[in-house]
Amino acid sequence: MKRGIFTQIIVLTLLVAVWSALHVADQILENRIDEIISDRPIFLFSWDEDLLRDEQRQFEQLHFVSEAVFKQDSDVLAELVRTYDLEGVESVVSNGALPHLIQLRIEGSLLNEENFNTLDFLIGELSDTDISTLYNSNYYRRYINRKDLLDNSYFLANALLGLLLLIVAIFMRIHYEHRSKDFWRVYSRAGGFHRSWGRQFVLDSAILCIIPVGLVSAIYYLSKYYYIWDQSIDHRYFIGKFLTLLLAILLSRLFLRRGSI
Amino acid sequence: MIEFENFRLEADKEPLLSLPNTRFDTGKKILVWGNNGIGKTLLLKTLHGDYNQYAGTIHFTTPSSILKPKKKKQRQSIYMELIPSLLDNESVWKNLTLPFPKLTPYQKHKLQEMCQNVGIHDKISQKIYKLPFSAKKFVELIRTTVQAPQLICIDDFDCYFDEIHYMQAVEILRFATNSGSTVLATSKSKLNGFDEVYRIHNKEMELL
Protein backbone atom coordinates (compact mmCIF):
# COMPACT_ATOMS: atom_id res chain seq x y z
CA MET A 1 0.00 0.00 0.00
CA LYS A 2 2.79 2.39 0.88
CA ARG A 3 4.52 1.49 -2.37
CA GLY A 4 1.29 2.31 -4.23
CA ILE A 5 1.05 5.77 -2.66
CA PHE A 6 4.74 6.36 -3.36
CA THR A 7 4.28 5.42 -7.03
CA GLN A 8 1.26 7.70 -7.31
CA ILE A 9 3.19 10.59 -5.74
CA ILE A 10 6.09 10.13 -8.20
CA VAL A 11 3.86 9.92 -11.30
CA LEU A 12 1.64 12.85 -10.26
CA THR A 13 4.66 14.97 -9.30
CA LEU A 14 6.21 14.31 -12.72
CA LEU A 15 2.99 15.29 -14.47
CA VAL A 16 2.61 18.46 -12.38
CA ALA A 17 6.29 19.27 -13.08
CA VAL A 18 5.79 18.80 -16.84
CA TRP A 19 2.68 20.97 -16.70
CA SER A 20 4.57 23.68 -14.80
CA ALA A 21 7.48 23.44 -17.25
CA LEU A 22 4.96 24.16 -20.01
CA HIS A 23 4.24 27.60 -18.47
CA VAL A 24 7.95 28.35 -18.31
CA ALA A 25 8.56 27.13 -21.88
CA ASP A 26 5.64 29.20 -23.15
CA GLN A 27 7.01 32.30 -21.45
CA ILE A 28 10.50 31.73 -22.88
CA LEU A 29 9.12 31.39 -26.42
CA GLU A 30 6.76 34.33 -26.07
CA ASN A 31 9.50 36.55 -24.64
CA ARG A 32 11.74 35.57 -27.56
CA ILE A 33 9.08 36.57 -30.10
CA ASP A 34 8.43 39.84 -28.21
CA GLU A 35 12.15 40.58 -28.24
CA ILE A 36 12.38 39.95 -31.99
CA ILE A 37 9.44 42.33 -32.57
CA SER A 38 10.84 44.98 -30.23
CA ASP A 39 14.36 44.77 -31.68
CA ARG A 40 13.28 45.67 -35.21
CA PRO A 41 12.68 49.43 -35.62
CA ILE A 42 10.37 51.19 -38.08
CA PHE A 43 11.79 54.27 -39.77
CA LEU A 44 9.80 57.25 -41.08
CA PHE A 45 11.78 59.68 -43.30
CA SER A 46 10.97 63.18 -44.41
CA TRP A 47 12.62 66.47 -45.12
CA ASP A 48 9.59 68.15 -43.54
CA GLU A 49 10.50 68.39 -39.87
CA ASP A 50 7.12 69.76 -38.73
CA LEU A 51 5.25 66.95 -40.42
CA LEU A 52 7.49 64.37 -38.76
CA ARG A 53 7.10 66.07 -35.37
CA ASP A 54 3.30 65.80 -35.73
CA GLU A 55 3.59 62.12 -36.60
CA GLN A 56 5.96 61.58 -33.68
CA ARG A 57 3.35 62.97 -31.28
CA GLN A 58 0.69 60.77 -32.84
CA PHE A 59 2.79 57.61 -32.51
CA GLU A 60 3.83 58.47 -28.96
CA GLN A 61 0.21 58.29 -27.94
CA LEU A 62 -0.05 54.65 -28.99
CA HIS A 63 0.41 52.46 -25.93
CA PHE A 64 2.07 49.65 -27.90
CA VAL A 65 4.78 51.98 -29.28
CA SER A 66 7.64 51.78 -26.80
CA GLU A 67 9.85 54.33 -28.53
CA ALA A 68 9.26 57.16 -31.04
CA VAL A 69 12.53 59.08 -31.36
CA PHE A 70 12.91 62.03 -33.68
CA LYS A 71 16.35 62.40 -35.27
CA GLN A 72 17.56 65.53 -37.08
CA ASP A 73 19.30 65.09 -40.43
CA SER A 74 22.59 66.06 -38.74
CA ASP A 75 22.08 63.30 -36.14
CA VAL A 76 21.34 60.86 -38.95
CA LEU A 77 24.56 61.85 -40.71
CA ALA A 78 26.61 61.54 -37.53
CA GLU A 79 25.16 58.13 -36.87
CA LEU A 80 25.90 56.96 -40.44
CA VAL A 81 29.47 58.22 -40.19
CA ARG A 82 29.90 56.51 -36.84
CA THR A 83 28.27 53.26 -37.92
CA TYR A 84 30.01 52.87 -41.28
CA ASP A 85 33.28 54.64 -40.36
CA LEU A 86 32.85 57.40 -42.98
CA GLU A 87 35.30 60.01 -41.58
CA GLY A 88 35.45 63.09 -43.80
CA VAL A 89 32.17 62.44 -45.59
CA GLU A 90 30.41 65.17 -43.54
CA SER A 91 32.17 67.86 -45.55
CA VAL A 92 31.02 66.29 -48.85
CA VAL A 93 27.38 65.83 -47.88
CA SER A 94 25.67 69.18 -48.07
CA ASN A 95 23.29 70.41 -45.42
CA GLY A 96 19.77 69.13 -46.20
CA ALA A 97 20.92 66.23 -48.33
CA LEU A 98 19.66 63.71 -45.76
CA PRO A 99 16.09 63.62 -44.42
CA HIS A 100 15.05 63.77 -40.78
CA LEU A 101 13.68 60.55 -39.37
CA ILE A 102 11.57 59.01 -36.64
CA GLN A 103 12.65 55.67 -35.20
CA LEU A 104 9.71 53.68 -33.85
CA ARG A 105 9.96 50.58 -31.73
CA ILE A 106 6.99 48.37 -30.95
CA GLU A 107 6.42 46.79 -27.54
CA GLY A 108 6.36 43.13 -28.61
CA SER A 109 4.26 41.94 -25.69
CA LEU A 110 1.50 44.45 -26.60
CA LEU A 111 1.39 43.75 -30.31
CA ASN A 112 -1.75 41.87 -31.17
CA GLU A 113 -4.05 41.70 -34.16
CA GLU A 114 -5.94 44.86 -33.22
CA ASN A 115 -2.81 46.93 -32.45
CA PHE A 116 -1.13 45.65 -35.58
CA ASN A 117 -4.11 46.79 -37.69
CA THR A 118 -3.94 50.26 -36.08
CA LEU A 119 -0.20 50.48 -36.78
CA ASP A 120 -0.59 49.20 -40.31
CA PHE A 121 -3.40 51.69 -41.00
CA LEU A 122 -1.46 54.66 -39.61
CA ILE A 123 1.68 53.81 -41.56
CA GLY A 124 -0.35 53.10 -44.69
CA GLU A 125 -1.91 56.56 -44.42
CA LEU A 126 1.57 58.09 -44.60
CA SER A 127 1.94 56.99 -48.21
CA ASP A 128 -0.22 60.01 -49.18
CA THR A 129 2.19 62.40 -47.47
CA ASP A 130 5.82 63.38 -47.97
CA ILE A 131 6.90 60.76 -45.49
CA SER A 132 8.71 57.65 -46.66
CA THR A 133 8.72 54.54 -44.51
CA LEU A 134 11.00 51.61 -43.89
CA TYR A 135 8.40 49.19 -42.64
CA ASN A 136 7.70 45.54 -43.51
CA SER A 137 4.11 44.68 -42.75
CA ASN A 138 4.67 40.96 -43.48
CA TYR A 139 7.40 40.78 -40.89
CA TYR A 140 5.04 41.81 -38.07
CA ARG A 141 2.20 39.75 -39.51
CA ARG A 142 4.43 36.64 -39.42
CA TYR A 143 5.31 37.13 -35.76
CA ILE A 144 1.72 37.89 -34.80
CA ASN A 145 0.73 34.60 -36.45
CA ARG A 146 3.49 32.85 -34.51
CA LYS A 147 2.23 34.40 -31.29
CA ASP A 148 -1.30 33.25 -32.10
CA LEU A 149 -0.04 29.77 -32.89
CA LEU A 150 1.93 29.72 -29.66
CA ASP A 151 -1.12 30.88 -27.66
CA ASN A 152 -3.33 28.23 -29.26
CA SER A 153 -0.73 25.51 -28.73
CA TYR A 154 -0.29 26.63 -25.14
CA PHE A 155 -4.02 26.52 -24.51
CA LEU A 156 -4.29 23.08 -26.13
CA ALA A 157 -1.27 21.71 -24.27
CA ASN A 158 -2.71 23.01 -20.99
CA ALA A 159 -6.04 21.37 -21.68
CA LEU A 160 -4.39 18.07 -22.67
CA LEU A 161 -2.01 18.02 -19.71
CA GLY A 162 -4.82 18.94 -17.34
CA LEU A 163 -6.95 16.16 -18.78
CA LEU A 164 -4.03 13.72 -18.66
CA LEU A 165 -3.34 14.59 -15.02
CA LEU A 166 -7.03 14.17 -14.19
CA ILE A 167 -7.34 10.79 -15.95
CA VAL A 168 -4.03 9.41 -14.64
CA ALA A 169 -4.87 10.53 -11.10
CA ILE A 170 -8.34 8.92 -11.25
CA PHE A 171 -7.16 5.64 -12.77
CA MET A 172 -4.16 5.29 -10.47
CA ARG A 173 -6.31 6.03 -7.44
CA ILE A 174 -8.91 3.44 -8.48
CA HIS A 175 -6.24 0.90 -9.46
CA TYR A 176 -4.38 1.10 -6.16
CA GLU A 177 -7.59 1.12 -4.13
CA HIS A 178 -8.67 -2.08 -5.90
CA ARG A 179 -5.26 -3.58 -5.27
CA SER A 180 -5.71 -2.88 -1.56
CA LYS A 181 -9.15 -4.50 -1.61
CA ASP A 182 -7.77 -7.77 -0.19
CA PHE A 183 -6.05 -5.88 2.57
CA TRP A 184 -9.26 -4.12 3.64
CA ARG A 185 -11.27 -7.34 3.39
CA VAL A 186 -8.84 -9.11 5.71
CA TYR A 187 -8.60 -6.01 7.90
CA SER A 188 -12.35 -5.91 8.28
CA ARG A 189 -12.61 -9.67 8.92
CA ALA A 190 -9.80 -9.41 11.45
CA GLY A 191 -11.81 -6.96 13.52
CA GLY A 192 -10.52 -3.64 12.19
CA PHE A 193 -12.94 -0.74 12.32
CA HIS A 194 -14.92 -0.12 9.15
CA ARG A 195 -14.26 3.62 9.19
CA SER A 196 -10.52 3.02 8.81
CA TRP A 197 -10.81 2.66 5.04
CA GLY A 198 -12.50 6.05 4.73
CA ARG A 199 -10.00 7.65 7.09
CA GLN A 200 -7.09 6.17 5.13
CA PHE A 201 -8.67 7.30 1.85
CA VAL A 202 -8.94 10.89 3.10
CA LEU A 203 -5.35 10.81 4.39
CA ASP A 204 -3.98 9.36 1.13
CA SER A 205 -6.04 11.86 -0.88
CA ALA A 206 -4.64 14.77 1.12
CA ILE A 207 -1.11 13.46 0.55
CA LEU A 208 -1.74 13.01 -3.18
CA CYS A 209 -3.20 16.51 -3.54
CA ILE A 210 -0.63 18.37 -1.47
CA ILE A 211 2.73 16.66 -2.08
CA PRO A 212 2.98 16.79 -5.93
CA VAL A 213 1.84 20.42 -6.18
CA GLY A 214 3.70 21.41 -3.00
CA LEU A 215 6.94 19.81 -4.17
CA VAL A 216 6.85 21.37 -7.64
CA SER A 217 5.86 24.81 -6.38
CA ALA A 218 8.59 24.62 -3.71
CA ILE A 219 11.19 23.80 -6.38
CA TYR A 220 9.86 26.65 -8.52
CA TYR A 221 9.89 29.28 -5.76
CA LEU A 222 13.33 28.15 -4.55
CA SER A 223 14.62 28.40 -8.14
CA LYS A 224 13.16 31.89 -8.37
CA TYR A 225 14.72 32.82 -5.04
CA TYR A 226 18.17 31.68 -6.17
CA TYR A 227 17.75 33.34 -9.62
CA ILE A 228 17.95 30.08 -11.55
CA TRP A 229 15.41 31.49 -13.99
CA ASP A 230 13.51 34.72 -14.56
CA GLN A 231 10.23 33.35 -15.85
CA SER A 232 7.32 33.80 -13.51
CA ILE A 233 4.49 31.34 -13.10
CA ASP A 234 1.30 32.83 -11.76
CA HIS A 235 0.58 31.18 -8.40
CA ARG A 236 -2.98 30.58 -9.61
CA TYR A 237 -1.57 27.94 -11.96
CA PHE A 238 -0.49 25.93 -8.92
CA ILE A 239 -3.95 26.37 -7.40
CA GLY A 240 -5.35 25.09 -10.72
CA LYS A 241 -3.19 21.96 -10.51
CA PHE A 242 -4.23 21.41 -6.90
CA LEU A 243 -7.89 21.73 -7.90
CA THR A 244 -7.37 19.26 -10.78
CA LEU A 245 -5.97 16.70 -8.36
CA LEU A 246 -8.78 17.41 -5.90
CA LEU A 247 -11.34 16.88 -8.68
CA ALA A 248 -9.63 13.58 -9.57
CA ILE A 249 -9.88 12.45 -5.94
CA LEU A 250 -13.56 13.39 -5.72
CA LEU A 251 -14.36 11.59 -8.98
CA SER A 252 -12.41 8.49 -7.97
CA ARG A 253 -14.30 8.52 -4.65
CA LEU A 254 -17.54 8.46 -6.60
CA PHE A 255 -16.36 5.38 -8.51
CA LEU A 256 -15.09 3.67 -5.39
CA ARG A 257 -18.25 2.93 -3.57
CA ARG A 258 -17.68 1.94 -0.01
CA GLY A 259 -19.29 -1.48 -0.59
CA SER A 260 -16.90 -2.41 -3.37
CA ILE A 261 -13.84 -2.08 -1.14
CA MET B 1 -25.25 -11.73 26.91
CA ILE B 2 -27.11 -12.77 23.78
CA GLU B 3 -30.81 -13.53 24.01
CA PHE B 4 -32.90 -15.11 21.27
CA GLU B 5 -36.64 -14.39 21.35
CA ASN B 6 -38.80 -16.58 19.10
CA PHE B 7 -35.85 -16.80 16.78
CA ARG B 8 -36.25 -18.78 13.59
CA LEU B 9 -33.58 -19.01 10.93
CA GLU B 10 -34.70 -19.32 7.33
CA ALA B 11 -33.06 -20.22 4.05
CA ASP B 12 -34.90 -19.48 0.79
CA LYS B 13 -37.99 -18.73 2.91
CA GLU B 14 -37.92 -22.28 4.33
CA PRO B 15 -37.49 -22.67 8.13
CA LEU B 16 -34.05 -24.02 8.90
CA LEU B 17 -33.48 -23.73 12.60
CA SER B 18 -35.44 -22.43 15.58
CA LEU B 19 -34.30 -21.22 18.99
CA PRO B 20 -37.54 -20.31 20.80
CA ASN B 21 -36.01 -18.74 23.93
CA THR B 22 -32.29 -19.27 24.25
CA ARG B 23 -29.65 -17.25 26.08
CA PHE B 24 -25.87 -17.26 25.65
CA ASP B 25 -24.22 -15.83 28.75
CA THR B 26 -21.23 -13.54 28.57
CA GLY B 27 -17.87 -15.21 29.16
CA LYS B 28 -19.00 -18.70 28.09
CA LYS B 29 -17.56 -21.06 25.54
CA ILE B 30 -20.52 -22.40 23.61
CA LEU B 31 -20.44 -25.19 21.07
CA VAL B 32 -23.17 -25.84 18.53
CA TRP B 33 -22.76 -29.11 16.70
CA GLY B 34 -24.64 -31.03 14.10
CA ASN B 35 -24.53 -32.31 10.56
CA ASN B 36 -23.80 -30.29 7.46
CA GLY B 37 -26.47 -28.01 6.01
CA ILE B 38 -28.56 -27.58 9.16
CA GLY B 39 -27.83 -23.87 9.69
CA LYS B 40 -24.77 -23.76 11.97
CA THR B 41 -22.81 -21.39 9.75
CA LEU B 42 -25.89 -19.27 9.00
CA LEU B 43 -26.47 -18.91 12.75
CA LEU B 44 -22.93 -17.55 13.16
CA LYS B 45 -23.34 -15.26 10.16
CA THR B 46 -26.64 -13.99 11.55
CA LEU B 47 -25.04 -13.12 14.88
CA HIS B 48 -22.18 -11.43 13.04
CA GLY B 49 -24.64 -9.41 10.95
CA ASP B 50 -23.86 -11.01 7.59
CA TYR B 51 -27.18 -12.82 7.22
CA ASN B 52 -30.63 -11.46 7.86
CA GLN B 53 -33.18 -14.06 6.75
CA TYR B 54 -34.61 -14.75 10.17
CA ALA B 55 -37.69 -14.15 12.26
CA GLY B 56 -37.76 -13.11 15.89
CA THR B 57 -35.34 -10.95 17.82
CA ILE B 58 -31.73 -11.16 18.99
CA HIS B 59 -30.75 -8.99 21.97
CA PHE B 60 -27.11 -8.14 22.61
CA THR B 61 -26.66 -6.97 26.18
CA THR B 62 -23.34 -5.45 27.15
CA PRO B 63 -22.09 -5.89 30.75
CA SER B 64 -23.00 -3.10 33.14
CA SER B 65 -20.60 -0.21 33.03
CA ILE B 66 -20.64 -0.07 36.85
CA LEU B 67 -19.37 -3.61 37.19
CA LYS B 68 -17.01 -3.47 34.26
CA PRO B 69 -15.63 -0.39 32.53
CA LYS B 70 -16.96 -0.16 29.01
CA LYS B 71 -14.25 -0.88 26.49
CA LYS B 72 -13.73 1.96 24.08
CA LYS B 73 -14.71 1.01 20.53
CA GLN B 74 -15.17 -2.63 21.49
CA ARG B 75 -15.95 -4.68 18.44
CA GLN B 76 -19.29 -6.48 18.74
CA SER B 77 -18.33 -9.68 16.98
CA ILE B 78 -15.57 -11.30 14.96
CA TYR B 79 -16.40 -14.15 12.66
CA MET B 80 -13.72 -16.73 11.84
CA GLU B 81 -14.44 -18.61 8.64
CA LEU B 82 -12.97 -21.92 7.57
CA ILE B 83 -10.37 -20.17 5.41
CA PRO B 84 -8.26 -17.92 7.63
CA SER B 85 -8.49 -14.19 6.85
CA LEU B 86 -4.80 -13.38 6.63
CA LEU B 87 -2.48 -11.40 4.40
CA ASP B 88 -0.36 -14.14 2.83
CA ASN B 89 2.52 -11.90 1.82
CA GLU B 90 2.82 -10.18 5.17
CA SER B 91 4.64 -11.39 8.26
CA VAL B 92 3.01 -13.23 11.14
CA TRP B 93 3.48 -10.19 13.37
CA LYS B 94 1.93 -7.83 10.83
CA ASN B 95 -1.10 -10.14 10.63
CA LEU B 96 -1.34 -10.39 14.39
CA THR B 97 -1.32 -6.63 14.87
CA LEU B 98 -3.36 -5.75 11.76
CA PRO B 99 -6.65 -4.62 13.38
CA PHE B 100 -5.10 -2.81 16.37
CA PRO B 101 -5.08 0.95 15.77
CA LYS B 102 -2.55 1.32 18.58
CA LEU B 103 -1.06 -1.73 20.25
CA THR B 104 -0.91 -1.39 24.02
CA PRO B 105 2.00 -2.98 25.95
CA TYR B 106 -0.49 -5.46 27.45
CA GLN B 107 -1.83 -6.51 24.04
CA LYS B 108 1.71 -6.85 22.71
CA HIS B 109 2.67 -8.97 25.69
CA LYS B 110 -0.40 -11.19 25.30
CA LEU B 111 0.22 -11.67 21.57
CA GLN B 112 3.82 -12.69 22.21
CA GLU B 113 2.87 -14.93 25.11
CA MET B 114 0.22 -16.78 23.14
CA CYS B 115 2.55 -17.22 20.18
CA GLN B 116 5.07 -18.71 22.60
CA ASN B 117 2.42 -21.06 24.02
CA VAL B 118 1.44 -22.43 20.62
CA GLY B 119 5.01 -22.57 19.31
CA ILE B 120 4.93 -19.96 16.56
CA HIS B 121 7.04 -17.34 18.38
CA ASP B 122 10.12 -18.25 16.30
CA LYS B 123 8.14 -17.70 13.07
CA ILE B 124 6.93 -14.25 13.99
CA SER B 125 8.83 -12.52 11.18
CA GLN B 126 8.05 -15.19 8.57
CA LYS B 127 5.56 -14.60 5.79
CA ILE B 128 2.18 -16.16 6.49
CA TYR B 129 2.11 -18.33 3.38
CA LYS B 130 5.07 -20.33 4.74
CA LEU B 131 3.09 -21.47 7.78
CA PRO B 132 1.07 -24.70 7.97
CA PHE B 133 -2.72 -24.37 8.07
CA SER B 134 -3.05 -24.95 11.84
CA ALA B 135 -0.44 -22.26 12.57
CA LYS B 136 -2.35 -19.83 10.33
CA LYS B 137 -5.50 -20.60 12.27
CA PHE B 138 -3.64 -19.97 15.53
CA VAL B 139 -2.54 -16.57 14.24
CA GLU B 140 -6.16 -15.72 13.47
CA LEU B 141 -7.38 -17.08 16.79
CA ILE B 142 -4.78 -15.22 18.85
CA ARG B 143 -5.45 -11.98 16.98
CA THR B 144 -9.18 -12.34 17.60
CA THR B 145 -8.99 -13.18 21.30
CA VAL B 146 -6.57 -10.37 22.20
CA GLN B 147 -9.05 -7.87 20.75
CA ALA B 148 -11.63 -9.18 23.23
CA PRO B 149 -14.79 -8.61 21.17
CA GLN B 150 -18.21 -9.27 22.72
CA LEU B 151 -18.68 -12.35 20.57
CA ILE B 152 -16.24 -14.63 18.79
CA CYS B 153 -17.86 -16.83 16.14
CA ILE B 154 -15.74 -19.78 14.97
CA ASP B 155 -16.99 -21.95 12.15
CA ASP B 156 -16.06 -25.66 11.97
CA PHE B 157 -13.75 -25.58 14.97
CA ASP B 158 -13.06 -29.33 14.60
CA CYS B 159 -11.40 -28.86 11.21
CA TYR B 160 -8.24 -27.03 12.15
CA PHE B 161 -6.29 -28.78 14.84
CA ASP B 162 -4.95 -32.17 15.88
CA GLU B 163 -5.42 -33.27 19.50
CA ILE B 164 -2.42 -31.39 20.93
CA HIS B 165 -3.15 -28.23 19.02
CA TYR B 166 -6.81 -28.52 19.92
CA MET B 167 -6.00 -28.29 23.62
CA GLN B 168 -3.85 -25.22 22.96
CA ALA B 169 -6.70 -23.65 21.00
CA VAL B 170 -9.13 -24.29 23.86
CA GLU B 171 -6.64 -22.58 26.20
CA ILE B 172 -6.70 -19.53 23.96
CA LEU B 173 -10.51 -19.59 24.03
CA ARG B 174 -10.35 -19.71 27.82
CA PHE B 175 -8.32 -16.52 27.77
CA ALA B 176 -10.96 -14.98 25.50
CA THR B 177 -13.82 -15.83 27.85
CA ASN B 178 -11.82 -14.57 30.83
CA SER B 179 -11.44 -11.27 28.97
CA GLY B 180 -15.23 -10.96 28.72
CA SER B 181 -15.83 -12.42 25.29
CA THR B 182 -18.46 -15.03 24.50
CA VAL B 183 -17.19 -17.78 22.22
CA LEU B 184 -19.62 -19.49 19.89
CA ALA B 185 -18.11 -22.33 17.86
CA THR B 186 -19.64 -24.87 15.51
CA SER B 187 -18.51 -28.38 14.66
CA LYS B 188 -19.78 -31.54 13.09
CA SER B 189 -19.19 -33.57 16.25
CA LYS B 190 -19.27 -33.02 19.98
CA LEU B 191 -16.06 -31.49 21.33
CA ASN B 192 -14.57 -31.19 24.80
CA GLY B 193 -13.56 -28.02 26.61
CA PHE B 194 -16.79 -26.02 26.13
CA ASP B 195 -19.02 -24.66 28.90
CA GLU B 196 -22.27 -25.21 27.05
CA VAL B 197 -22.90 -27.65 24.23
CA TYR B 198 -25.91 -27.41 21.96
CA ARG B 199 -26.95 -29.95 19.39
CA ILE B 200 -29.03 -29.15 16.35
CA HIS B 201 -31.48 -31.91 15.72
CA ASN B 202 -34.74 -31.86 13.74
CA LYS B 203 -34.37 -28.12 13.13
CA GLU B 204 -34.26 -27.46 16.87
CA MET B 205 -31.29 -26.44 18.98
CA GLU B 206 -31.19 -28.32 22.27
CA LEU B 207 -28.87 -27.87 25.21
CA LEU B 208 -27.10 -31.09 26.16
Side-chain angles (χ1 to χ4, degrees):
Chain A
M1 269 172 51
K2 280 177 188 164
R3 197 165 51 189
I5 283 290
F6 192 64
T7 311
Q8 287 180 79
I9 287 172
I10 289 174
V11 173
L12 295 180
T13 305
L14 280 174
L15 279 173
V16 171
V18 169
W19 196 1
S20 303
L22 176 75
H23 305 310
V24 175
D26 175 70
Q27 277 206 4
I28 290 171
L29 288 172
E30 201 160 309
N31 287 350
R32 183 75 199 111
I33 293 173
D34 292 345
E35 273 171 25
I36 290 170
I37 293 170
S38 302
D39 281 351
R40 180 142 174 161
I42 299 168
F43 293 108
L44 310 180
F45 307 95
S46 180
W47 276 269
D48 188 339
E49 185 179 340
D50 293 336
L51 184 62
L52 273 184
R53 290 279 186 197
D54 287 345
E55 291 301 327
Q56 184 197 10
R57 276 191 288 277
Q58 192 182 354
F59 278 106
E60 273 175 346
Q61 284 168 8
L62 300 173
H63 71 285
F64 56 90
V65 173
S66 60
E67 187 183 285
V69 182
F70 179 84
K71 289 182 180 176
Q72 289 275 358
D73 56 349
S74 54
D75 298 331
V76 174
L77 180 61
E79 200 169 319
L80 284 171
V81 167
R82 196 173 55 247
T83 310
Y84 299 106
D85 199 15
L86 302 170
E87 292 294 327
V89 168
E90 299 104 306
S91 56
V92 180
V93 179
S94 59
N95 198 18
L98 290 174
H100 310 293
L101 70 82
I102 300 172
Q103 183 180 294
L104 297 175
R105 282 192 194 276
I106 307 300
E107 182 58 56
S109 58
L110 299 176
L111 191 67
N112 54 24
E113 189 70 33
E114 188 189 341
N115 293 339
F116 169 72
N117 288 337
T118 309
L119 179 75
D120 205 42
F121 174 75
L122 287 173
I123 292 177
E125 269 193 329
L126 296 177
S127 61
D128 299 334
T129 66
D130 287 340
I131 297 173
S132 304
T133 57
L134 189 61
Y135 161 72
N136 186 349
S137 168
N138 290 335
Y139 177 83
Y140 291 100
R141 163 69 61 200
R142 191 164 63 241
Y143 281 102
I144 284 171
N145 287 344
R146 281 189 193 177
K147 275 178 83 167
D148 284 346
L149 183 69
L150 187 67
D151 285 348
N152 290 339
S153 309
Y154 177 62
F155 176 78
L156 194 69
N158 265 307
L160 286 175
L161 276 172
L163 197 66
L164 183 69
L165 181 67
L166 188 74
I167 290 170
V168 168
I170 289 172
F171 278 92
M172 283 182 78
R173 199 84 184 88
I174 291 173
H175 171 73
Y176 282 104
E177 284 303 323
H178 276 292
R179 272 185 65 165
S180 64
K181 208 171 173 177
D182 277 346
F183 171 86
W184 289 111
R185 187 185 52 76
V186 172
Y187 177 83
S188 174
R189 286 277 172 204
F193 284 96
H194 67 280
R195 282 185 189 162
S196 300
W197 177 81
R199 208 177 297 156
Q200 192 63 43
F201 185 87
V202 170
L203 186 68
D204 291 348
S205 302
I207 288 171
L208 289 173
C209 276
I210 293 166
I211 290 186
V213 178
L215 207 61
V216 173
S217 55
I219 291 169
Y220 164 74
Y221 285 114
L222 278 174
S223 310
K224 283 283 283 181
Y225 184 76
Y226 289 110
Y227 303 107
I228 292 172
W229 60 46
D230 299 329
Q231 281 70 34
S232 295
I233 301 177
D234 194 330
H235 66 271
R236 282 173 297 185
Y237 284 124
F238 291 116
I239 296 172
K241 290 172 185 67
F242 176 81
L243 291 176
T244 306
L245 288 175
L246 192 65
L247 180 67
I249 299 297
L250 293 174
L251 289 173
S252 57
R253 184 66 184 87
L254 280 179
F255 295 124
L256 293 164
R257 287 195 203 98
R258 175 66 184 90
S260 66
I261 294 294
Chain B
M1 186 174 66
I2 303 160
E3 262 187 303
F4 297 89
E5 209 176 288
N6 300 321
F7 179 82
R8 198 174 71 247
L9 199 61
E10 295 169 348
D12 299 325
K13 293 179 182 172
E14 290 290 318
L16 192 67
L17 171 68
S18 65
L19 288 79
N21 286 305
T22 310
R23 197 175 82 176
F24 295 157
D25 288 325
T26 303
K28 289 276 169 67
K29 296 193 295 292
I30 298 151
L31 177 74
V32 178
W33 68 278
N35 294 333
N36 282 336
I38 55 172
K40 302 190 299 285
T41 301
L42 286 182
L43 177 66
L44 296 187
K45 284 188 174 178
T46 305
L47 288 169
H48 185 61
D50 283 353
Y51 188 78
N52 55 16
Q53 285 188 41
Y54 64 88
T57 319
I58 309 168
H59 295 287
F60 279 86
T61 316
T62 50
S64 164
S65 58
I66 298 167
L67 297 172
K68 192 175 179 182
K70 194 180 174 186
K71 284 178 186 163
K72 201 178 173 186
K73 291 181 178 175
Q74 189 186 19
R75 178 91 183 196
Q76 200 169 31
S77 70
I78 294 177
Y79 172 51
M80 290 172 58
E81 291 171 290
L82 185 62
I83 306 294
S85 288
L86 298 168
L87 298 169
D88 281 342
N89 289 313
E90 298 290 350
S91 68
V92 170
W93 186 250
K94 168 81 182 175
N95 274 281
L96 282 168
T97 56
L98 185 65
F100 296 93
K102 197 177 174 185
L103 200 63
T104 63
Y106 173 75
Q107 287 167 334
K108 189 178 175 183
H109 168 73
K110 286 316 291 183
L111 288 171
Q112 287 169 335
E113 188 186 73
M114 286 188 192
C115 287
Q116 178 97 33
N117 291 347
V118 299
I120 55 169
H121 59 288
D122 53 339
K123 294 167 185 158
I124 216 109
S125 55
Q126 268 188 26
K127 302 265 185 197
I128 278 289
Y129 70 84
K130 291 182 177 171
L131 297 188
F133 184 79
S134 62
K136 286 182 187 177
K137 212 63 204 176
F138 270 130
V139 171
E140 199 185 16
L141 195 60
I142 292 168
R143 181 179 69 190
T144 304
T145 53
V146 173
Q147 287 178 80
Q150 283 184 44
L151 177 66
I152 298 172
C153 303
I154 309 172
D155 205 7
D156 291 329
F157 191 59
D158 51 343
C159 292
Y160 315 133
F161 309 111
D162 59 25
E163 280 176 15
I164 297 167
H165 286 143
Y166 178 80
M167 293 315 292
Q168 290 170 334
V170 171
E171 270 308 304
I172 293 172
L173 295 186
R174 189 166 295 131
F175 167 78
T177 50
N178 288 342
S179 305
S181 298
T182 303
V183 175
L184 180 62
T186 65
S187 72
K188 281 185 276 299
S189 58
K190 194 182 171 190
L191 301 173
N192 296 323
F194 284 85
D195 303 320
E196 287 176 13
V197 177
Y198 288 84
R199 182 189 176 199
I200 300 176
H201 186 64
N202 290 336
K203 298 184 180 180
E204 292 267 334
M205 203 164 94
E206 55 192 36
L207 180 64
L208 298 182

